[in-house]
Amino acid sequence: MTRLLRQILISALAVVAPIAAIGQGDVKLLTEVGFDTFFDNTEYTGTQLGRSETTFAARLSPKVGLRWSEKNSLVIGADIFANFGEQGKFLSKARPQLYYRFATPKVKALAGIFDRNELKGYYSEVFISDVNRFYENRLHGFMGQYAGERGHIELALDWCGMYSKEARERFCILSAGHLDILKSGALYGGYALQVFHYAGSEQISGSVVDNIIVNPYIGSRFKAFFDFDIKLHAIVAMQRDRAVESGMHIPGGAMLQLRMEKCGIYLEEQLYVGSQLMPYFYASPNPIFPQGYGADLYYGNPIFGTDTYWESCCRAPQTVIDTRIGYSNKFFNDTLCLNAFVAVQCDGSAWGTRQMVELKVRLFKDFALDKRR
């Protein structure tokens, strides 16, 4: 841990040290500090929604860099984690961020190791759970993004696993788009796409698993005392374990999301009906992994990996219900964001509960660096 922090500090000094030698007068020193506190308690005993557990942790993300010509930035920083209650450790882990960013009002491109928050697209918990969004907050690779007056589109490559003795090769292609069909935004549409490649390691050969998710949606926003936002999603997943299967599993279904909000207080309802979207989460046809691939293959919420049905005269497909009552708001010129909710969830056979609190702080400051001495 100490060695990693020392390397990050040396690299930061290497970025800032050449400032006096830069001949451009519009160079700026960038400083940024982010702080996140995340609490998530799940009570799922007797259900297939996942494990009953509590996650309580904080993440500090200091960054420093240079901006020149108003469009180009070179940034280095770190994500420093502390899991609350973890005994015998000053810090749980530290991971670097190091990236180049090109940004104009309409176009943005990044290369390196950068924050997932650089993405603009809407990726639901089918793609990545809230817990993984906190801990897996970085992308390794490239991202390109275009934003117009009525929408945006993006494409990113995340190389999240390097072929070695310890790790399997993994990479993920992400893409999302959004378009306001009506200029007011009252009617809109969009999509999210994931192509996840989960390959072998030096110790595991001939085992490649695909996990592809396609998610187009259409939605509407309007006011009727409350602020309403309604989305209807179509979700199709294509998955195959190439070591033992020649064909693909193609589960899919529909998801309805309804949110009504007033003064920061909101009620959010999510209803999914369809096939199990994570067939390899708990079990696999591959004899090497009979217990399934779990979170190594699926970053999404395990609630979409259950395989239960309503007990009725006509057995319906898998049904997932997620009802949340919470409070979300921003304070102090949007530098502090708070989101807290209590959720009641059902996997089609049993009910579970969840409580989450997330506090985010973002501070930015730019310093102009004049070449005159």
Side-chain angles (χ1 to χ4, degrees):
M1 182 71 69
T2 303
R3 180 181 177 185
L4 177 58
L5 293 175
R6 184 169 62 247
Q7 291 174 342
I8 292 172
L9 178 60
I10 293 172
S11 300
L13 291 173
V15 171
V16 177
I19 291 173
I22 297 177
Q24 301 181 30
D26 62 348
V27 177
K28 294 182 179 179
L29 175 66
L30 312 178
T31 59
E32 176 185 341
V33 177
F35 178 75
D36 294 65
T37 301
F38 182 80
F39 171 82
D40 190 355
N41 179 59
T42 57
E43 298 172 1
Y44 291 157
T45 302
T47 77
Q48 293 188 19
L49 294 170
R51 293 188 303 176
S52 294
E53 60 182 342
T54 301
T55 301
F56 203 179
R59 183 182 71 234
L60 181 69
S61 302
K63 299 176 188 176
V64 63
L66 296 176
R67 177 184 294 148
W68 70 99
S69 300
E70 292 300 325
K71 302 179 181 68
N72 304 278
S73 302
L74 185 61
V75 180
I76 187 167
D79 292 303
I80 304 169
F81 291 82
N83 294 320
F84 296 174
E86 193 170 50
Q87 302 297 320
K89 288 187 178 182
F90 173 62
L91 294 172
S92 301
K93 58 182 175 181
R95 303 184 303 191
Q97 288 196 33
L98 175 64
Y99 58 91
Y100 164 78
R101 175 169 54 202
F102 174 85
T104 70
K106 290 189 175 182
V107 177
K108 183 164 69 172
L110 289 97
I113 306 174
F114 50 91
D115 201 298
R116 188 179 292 273
N117 287 330
E118 298 284 355
L119 299 173
K120 289 176 67 72
Y122 176 71
Y123 301 90
S124 72
E125 283 201 281
V126 172
F127 293 84
I128 182 167
S129 67
D130 291 330
V131 173
N132 281 331
R133 208 181 298 270
F134 175 78
Y135 281 108
E136 304 299 331
N137 64 304
R138 305 176 306 157
L139 299 182
H140 306 68
F142 303 96
M143 188 203 74
Q145 191 179 89
Y146 176 82
E149 293 182 1
R150 295 173 61 176
H152 61 264
I153 190 169
E154 66 189 14
L155 178 67
L157 170 65
D158 179 23
W159 200 277
C160 45
M162 190 176 99
Y163 181 88
S164 65
K165 288 184 179 180
E166 296 79 18
R168 298 178 64 162
E169 180 180 281
R170 298 185 299 164
F171 68 82
C172 184
I173 298 171
L174 293 168
S175 181
H178 177 95
L179 176 66
D180 288 333
I181 300 172
L182 297 180
K183 193 172 182 179
S184 64
L187 182 65
Y188 62 88
Y191 78 92
L193 169 70
Q194 168 190 290
V195 179
F196 187 56
H197 177 83
Y198 184 52
S201 65
E202 292 182 14
Q203 298 178 336
I204 302 172
S205 60
S207 180
V208 177
V209 186
D210 304 298
N211 182 13
I212 301 169
I213 305 173
V214 182
N215 175 201
Y217 61 84
I218 190 168
S220 176
R221 299 188 190 96
F222 58 92
K223 290 187 178 182
F225 184 73
F226 294 98
D227 295 329
F228 287 88
D229 190 353
I230 303 173
K231 289 189 187 77
L232 179 61
H233 301 255
I235 302 172
V236 178
M238 292 165 277
Q239 299 166 36
R240 178 176 60 153
D241 189 333
R242 298 189 202 177
V244 294
E245 296 178 311
S246 57
M248 271 194 168
H249 294 273
I250 309 180
M255 183 167 69
L256 177 66
Q257 291 178 319
L258 166 65
R259 182 183 176 103
M260 51 187 295
E261 182 176 353
K262 188 72 173 180
C263 300
I265 301 173
Y266 65 86
L267 170 66
E268 190 171 274
E269 184 72 38
Q270 181 171 268
L271 172 65
Y272 170 78
V273 178
S275 309
Q276 183 203 53
L277 294 175
M278 303 177 181
Y280 301 142
F281 195 99
Y282 294 109
S284 168
N286 192 327
I288 302 177
F289 303 97
Q291 304 303 314
Y293 296 101
D296 287 342
L297 179 63
Y298 300 104
Y299 279 15
N301 193 326
I303 190 174
F304 296 101
T306 64
D307 190 16
T308 57
Y309 298 85
W310 288 104
E311 293 296 335
S312 62
C313 57
C314 51
R315 292 170 64 82
Q318 179 197 16
T319 304
V320 174
I321 300 172
D322 186 349
T323 303
R324 303 180 180 186
I325 300 175
Y327 177 79
S328 178
N329 216 334
K330 297 180 179 180
F331 306 92
F332 310 116
N333 296 320
D334 295 343
T335 58
L336 186 149
C337 302
L338 173 66
N339 182 33
F341 65 78
V342 175
V344 178
Q345 300 169 320
C346 181
D347 64 354
S349 64
W351 294 87
T353 61
R354 179 184 173 201
Q355 307 88 43
M356 196 194 86
V357 179
E358 187 169 22
L359 177 70
K360 298 182 178 182
V361 178
R362 293 290 182 274
L363 299 174
F364 306 86
K365 182 65 176 179
D366 297 353
F367 300 92
L369 300 173
D370 196 324
K371 65 179 179 179
R372 293 173 298 177
R373 296 181 175 86

